[in-house]
Every structure is written in structure tokens, then in C-alpha cells.
Amino acid sequence: MENNPKRYMTTREAAMRWNIFPDRVSELCRHGKIPGAAQENRRWKIPADAPHPLSPKGPKK
């Protein structure tokens, strides 16, 4: 049993956090630019601790 379940945010929550549009967040998820993001029933689950995908410190692919 996991004591600390992984937390996720929606595309809307990620967009508000990262100051970008929700459609852009979805696009970044589709292209694999957000590590750990997974689609479930046409909605994206984004790890709550995911770094901003467009920042210099974000993932490089």
C-alpha cells in the first residue's frame, strides 16, 4: 500500500500554474514534452510536480 499517492493536475490547472493556454498544455502532452503525463478517458493527468515544459530548466527532448 502506497502511503504517498501521486498527485495529478488537469490541463486547466497546469495552464494556470504555467501561465499558458490549456490547449497548449494538451499539445505539449501529446508531443511528450511533459514527463509523466498520461491520457485517461480523453483527459490528461499531469504530475503535480511536473516542471514547466517551456522553461530553460524543463525537459529537453
Side-chain angles (χ1 to χ4, degrees):
M1 186 170 189
E2 192 172 316
N3 292 335
N4 191 8
K6 186 144 182 143
R7 297 192 38 95
Y8 293 96
M9 58 183 163
T10 65
T11 53
R12 182 173 288 170
E13 291 167 332
M16 289 175 56
R17 180 178 290 180
W18 297 333
N19 198 30
I20 58 178
F21 289 104
D23 288 344
R24 180 68 171 137
V25 174
S26 295
E27 180 182 14
L28 292 165
C29 289
R30 278 193 306 276
H31 292 284
K33 302 294 184 183
I34 302 175
Q39 196 168 24
E40 185 176 283
N41 297 327
R42 297 186 65 191
R43 294 181 184 234
W44 286 99
K45 289 174 46 179
I46 302 164
D49 59 353
H52 190 301
L54 302 176
S55 74
K57 295 180 183 177
K60 302 278 186 195
K61 286 193 177 184

